[in-house]
């Protein structure tokens, strides 16, 4: 159909546009917009269903088990293990962040830094925060809000090869431990360097002395 | 006021427990620590009674009038018993880990309820601390004067079984212990489930909705293909991943890429899509995970150090130390992951 010229009362002429969907460019535009607008969200809803059925059930069961396990083990026992692990560089940047992440979860895991001398705190932070994504491959409860770094990549792997998914989960966790050890040592080294260069040597010597004194005090307290 | 002479007791939540803790103090007649745990009087109840100068009544052997109960010690998974005493506004000490839940959840508030309590969590309070019921001490002290006969009768009834004639022995003791252990396991699992659902509901699903929306838009508009085409050459070989690792860890960039790991998560989902589509080989997943995560935590250094009770000088030194170290360790992590990726 073509637009018609119609005479209105009073001598005016106007363009009459028939409301035919197929030939009318305005209606075509509206139809196009409506279809694709909804399509956009339909695609979003599909992704949501994919994620919910794929991720949530496994996650919920796993989180429940891990929560129960952390309750059974108890914070006190972990605190003791962490204090031991803090003494040696190798365990300070592997076992200590791992226990902190699994037991205290993000962001409370950083509080275990209080068991360390001041000069090691930046390196401990670096190691711990760097483990908060690898840890989710096996212990998703540790960092519930940031799961998709792991889940996003691994969901793709799962679709291609289920066996590779399991191997990838374990490897991400283990390589994570190696990486945070390396990261902790490098950051510790750079911290020492910056302490010297920034002229903080005396300040940190005093902190070390305070820490040693505090340690003796708490050791006596433990005996009493 | 004579009540002031009664020592106050602070009861904190134990490992995995809930609530900021309670401070209780015996006021006149209100001095019964009600043990509602089955079997013998619970050690936690005994300790509270010992420190407050009150006395323990085993609820399974004798009743106690509500207006004389200082606090109730229970072992419950949080569906029924946890709510009964808070509903009566009686301070409730749960030796299990239940957080508020169940039909009476609205009564289980942190001013009247604490859970996961062990004997070690019961300590003498700071004398300056206000205890529950301090302000109504006068009314509590004067109230029992009127119903004296009833109260004293009840007191007598309550005192009688405290001789502990009903001490469990042999088989029944075993049953009680066994039941207690099963109860503990089931309660902690149930509570773990409740916490898990909370986490999924409060943090995982909202993020999932946001990711799904972005994914929908990116996929539907064809933006995903465009991103894939530009990122795949980068993610498909070691040099590209190294470059990605260096870029994400740039000290000027990393603190802005960090927050909530939002950007890393989106890129993770996009990369996953590429792997699923076969555009990227599976084994590149491992180095990719480290390459897109070079900035992790760079936005949070001062806060994280603060949580570790670091001194201000440590923060001054620590922030640049972490940011500079990251520039070295981020690409190094990619290399390490690349070599391990042959095992995938």
């Amino acid at each position: 159909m073509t637009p018609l010229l119609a005479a209105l009362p009073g001598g005016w002429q106007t363009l009459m546009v028939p409301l035919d969907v197929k030939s009318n460019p305005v209606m075509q535009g509206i139809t196009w917009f409506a279809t694709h607008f909804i399509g956009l969200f339909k695609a979003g809803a599909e992704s949501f269903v994919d994620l919910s059925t794929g991720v949530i059930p496994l996650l919920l069961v796993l989180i429940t088990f891990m929560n129960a396990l952390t309750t059974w083990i108890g914070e006190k026992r972990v605190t003791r293990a962490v204090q031991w692990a803090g003494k040696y560089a190798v365990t300070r940047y592997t076992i200590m962040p791992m226990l902190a992440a699994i037991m205290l979860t993000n962001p409370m895991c950083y509080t275990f830094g209080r068991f360390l001398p001041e000069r090691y705190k930046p390196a401990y932070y670096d190691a711990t925060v760097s483990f908060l994504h690898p840890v989710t491959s096996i212990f998703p409860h540790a960092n519930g809000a940031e799961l998709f770094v792991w889940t996003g990549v691994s969901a793709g792997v799962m679709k291609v090869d289920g066996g590779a998914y399991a191997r990838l989960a374990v490897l991400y966790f283990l390589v994570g431990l190696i990486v945070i050890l390396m990261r902790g040592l490098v950051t510790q080294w750079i911290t020492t360097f910056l302490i010297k260069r920034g002229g903080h040597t005396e300040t940190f010597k005093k902190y070390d002395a305070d820490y040693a004194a505090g340690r003796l005090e708490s050791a006596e307290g433990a005996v009493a | 006021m004579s009540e002031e002479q009664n020592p106050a007791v602070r009861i904190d939540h134990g490992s995995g427990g809930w609530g900021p803790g309670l401070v209780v103090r015996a006021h006149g007649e209100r001095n019964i620590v009600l043990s509602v745990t089955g079997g013998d009087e619970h050690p936690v109840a005994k300790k509270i009674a010992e420190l407050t100068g009150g006395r323990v009544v085993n609820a399974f052997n004798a009743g106690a009038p509500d207006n004389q109960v200082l606090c109730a010690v229970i072992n419950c998974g949080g569906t029924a018993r946890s709510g009964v005493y808070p509903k009566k506004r009686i301070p409730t000490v749960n030796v299990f880990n239940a957080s508020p839940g169940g039909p009476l959840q609205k009564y289980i508030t942190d001013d009247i309820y604490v859970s996961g309590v062990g004997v070690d969590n019961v300590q003498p309070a700071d004398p300056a601390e206000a205890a529950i019921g301090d302000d109504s001490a006068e009314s509590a002290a004067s109230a029992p004067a009127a119903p004296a006969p009833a109260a004293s009768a009840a007191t007598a009834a309550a005192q009688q079984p405290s001789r502990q004639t009903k001490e469990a022995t042999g088989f029944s003791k075993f049953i009680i212990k066994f039941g207690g252990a099963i109860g503990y396991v089931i309660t902690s699992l149930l509570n773990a489930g409740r916490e898990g659902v909370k986490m999924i509901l409060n943090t995982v699903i909202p993020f999932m909705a946001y990711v799904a929306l972005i994914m929908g838009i990116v996929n539907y508009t064809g933006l995903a293909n465009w991103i894939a085409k530009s990122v795949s050459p980068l993610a498909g070989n070691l040099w590209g991943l190294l470059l990605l690792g260096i870029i994400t860890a740039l000290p000027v960039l990393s603190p802005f890429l960090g927050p909530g790991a939002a950007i890393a998560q989106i890129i993770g989902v996009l990369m996953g899509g590429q792997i699923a589509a076969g555009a990227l080989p599976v084994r590149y997943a491992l180095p990719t995970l480290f390459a897109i995560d070079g900035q992790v935590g760079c936005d949070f250094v001062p806060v994280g150090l603060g949580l570790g009770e670091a001194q201000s000088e440590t923060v001054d030194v620590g922030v640049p130390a972490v940011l500079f170290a990251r520039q070295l360790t981020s690409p190094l992590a990619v290399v390490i992951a690349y070599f391990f990726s042959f095992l995938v």
Side-chain angles (χ1 to χ4, degrees):
Chain A
M1 273 190 270
T2 49
L4 301 169
L5 279 176
L8 285 178
W12 292 92
Q13 284 194 328
T14 183
L15 193 67
M16 298 287 282
V17 181
L19 285 175
D20 183 327
V21 175
K22 283 183 187 129
S23 59
N24 175 344
V26 176
M27 277 312 286
Q28 274 174 344
I30 291 173
T31 313
W32 180 90
F33 177 77
T35 320
H36 289 283
F37 184 74
I38 290 297
L40 213 56
F41 297 107
K42 272 195 178 152
E46 254 165 58
S47 313
F48 186 75
V49 170
D50 266 4
L51 292 172
S52 329
T53 53
V55 176
I56 288 183
L58 177 71
L59 199 61
L60 183 56
V61 177
L62 207 54
I63 287 177
T64 299
F65 175 73
M66 284 316 302
N67 280 343
L69 196 65
T70 49
T71 309
W72 292 331
I73 294 173
E75 220 168 281
K76 219 182 272 173
R77 253 169 261 178
V78 175
T79 306
R80 229 176 302 151
V82 157
Q83 275 176 307
W84 172 83
K87 285 185 206 161
Y88 314 100
V90 173
T91 48
R92 183 162 61 233
Y93 305 126
T94 51
I95 294 175
M96 194 171 166
M98 183 183 78
L99 287 176
I102 294 173
M103 294 301 296
L104 299 189
T105 74
N106 185 23
M108 292 314 287
C109 50
Y110 310 120
T111 58
F112 273 162
R114 71 181 187 275
F115 296 125
L116 293 174
E118 290 292 323
R119 58 175 67 248
Y120 297 144
K121 282 179 182 176
Y124 168 76
Y125 168 79
D126 199 9
T128 307
V129 80
S130 298
F131 198 58
L132 282 179
H133 293 142
V135 76
T136 56
S137 69
I138 300 182
F139 302 103
H141 72 290
N143 195 5
E146 299 176 7
L147 283 173
F148 277 86
V149 175
W150 160 249
T151 321
V153 172
S154 65
V157 174
M158 179 104 87
K159 273 194 189 142
V160 179
D161 181 353
Y165 171 85
R167 286 194 296 278
L168 184 65
V170 175
L171 276 175
Y172 190 30
F173 191 88
L174 293 178
V175 174
L177 285 176
I178 297 171
V179 164
I180 62 171
L181 173 61
M182 175 271 292
R183 209 162 262 183
L185 292 174
V186 171
T187 308
Q188 180 184 318
W189 176 66
I190 292 187
T191 310
T192 313
F193 175 75
L194 286 181
I195 288 172
K196 247 186 240 158
R197 257 212 48 199
H200 299 291
T201 317
E202 290 308 311
T203 321
F204 276 85
K205 251 185 201 154
K206 191 180 141 283
Y207 287 150
D208 284 349
D210 288 351
Y211 178 78
R215 175 151 272 212
L216 278 178
E217 231 167 68
S218 68
E220 275 163 20
V223 172
Chain B
M1 286 201 293
S2 62
E3 286 80 37
E4 289 304 322
Q5 280 145 17
N6 289 325
V9 171
R10 177 154 189 88
I11 307 163
D12 285 311
H13 74 83
S15 164
W18 186 89
L22 305 174
V23 178
V24 296
R25 168 182 289 154
H27 294 107
E29 287 276 298
R30 189 184 277 273
N31 63 356
I32 294 176
V33 179
L34 197 62
S35 178
V36 203
T37 54
D40 294 337
E41 290 151 2
H42 198 277
V44 168
K46 281 187 195 163
K47 177 125 184 227
I48 296 172
E50 185 191 313
L51 292 178
T52 52
R55 63 205 166 83
V56 184
V57 169
N58 190 336
F60 284 80
N61 297 339
D66 286 344
N67 62 5
Q68 292 181 26
V69 175
L70 169 65
C71 69
V73 177
I74 61 170
N75 59 347
C76 174
T79 46
R81 237 186 307 166
S82 295
V84 170
Y85 294 99
K87 189 168 185 287
K88 297 184 195 173
R89 296 299 294 169
I90 292 173
T92 303
V93 178
N94 197 345
V95 296
F96 286 169
N97 283 325
S99 52
L104 297 175
Q105 180 175 3
K106 65 177 167 185
Y107 300 107
I108 308 173
T109 50
D110 62 6
D111 59 332
I112 201 114
Y113 177 87
V114 60
S115 76
V117 177
V119 176
D120 294 342
N121 303 120
V122 180
Q123 297 296 343
D126 189 332
E129 248 179 313
I132 293 170
D134 269 358
D135 43 355
S136 60
E138 283 98 330
S139 61
S142 56
S152 59
T155 313
Q159 264 163 346
Q160 222 164 4
S162 301
R163 291 172 297 154
Q164 298 194 349
T165 45
K166 284 195 180 176
E167 186 120 351
T169 49
F171 186 65
S172 70
K173 195 164 194 168
F174 168 75
I175 292 286
I176 289 165
K177 273 249 167 78
F178 187 70
I182 297 276
Y184 173 73
V185 170
I186 290 178
T187 310
S188 39
L189 279 173
L190 195 62
N191 205 47
R194 192 176 295 135
E195 294 295 319
V197 170
K198 258 188 227 160
M199 180 191 270
I200 298 262
L201 216 57
N202 293 336
T203 61
V204 177
I205 291 187
F207 193 83
M208 215 176 243
Y210 148 71
V211 165
L213 176 63
I214 297 213
M215 287 289 293
I217 294 173
V218 163
N219 279 329
Y220 194 78
T221 55
L223 200 61
N225 288 332
W226 182 81
I227 293 175
K229 265 185 211 139
S230 47
V231 174
S232 294
L234 214 56
N237 64 78
L238 177 60
W239 304 113
L241 284 172
L242 267 178
L243 186 63
L244 200 58
I246 291 170
I247 293 171
T248 50
L250 284 175
V252 288
L253 204 57
S254 54
F256 300 100
L257 286 175
I263 294 171
Q265 295 192 83
I266 290 288
I267 298 180
V269 174
L270 287 174
M271 293 292 195
Q274 293 308 303
I275 291 170
L280 283 179
V282 165
R283 76 177 188 83
Y284 274 95
L286 194 61
T288 300
L289 280 164
F290 287 96
I292 64 175
D293 217 12
Q295 77 292 343
V296 61
C298 285
D299 57 316
F300 204 67
V301 189
V303 189
L305 286 173
L307 283 168
E309 292 168 22
Q311 303 285 344
S312 61
E313 280 87 352
T314 310
V315 178
D316 290 347
V317 173
V319 174
V322 171
L323 293 185
F324 287 143
R326 200 55 75 77
Q327 191 66 85
L328 297 174
T329 60
S330 173
L332 207 51
V334 176
V335 174
I336 294 172
Y338 178 79
F339 284 112
F340 277 94
S341 74
F342 289 101
L343 298 173
V344 175

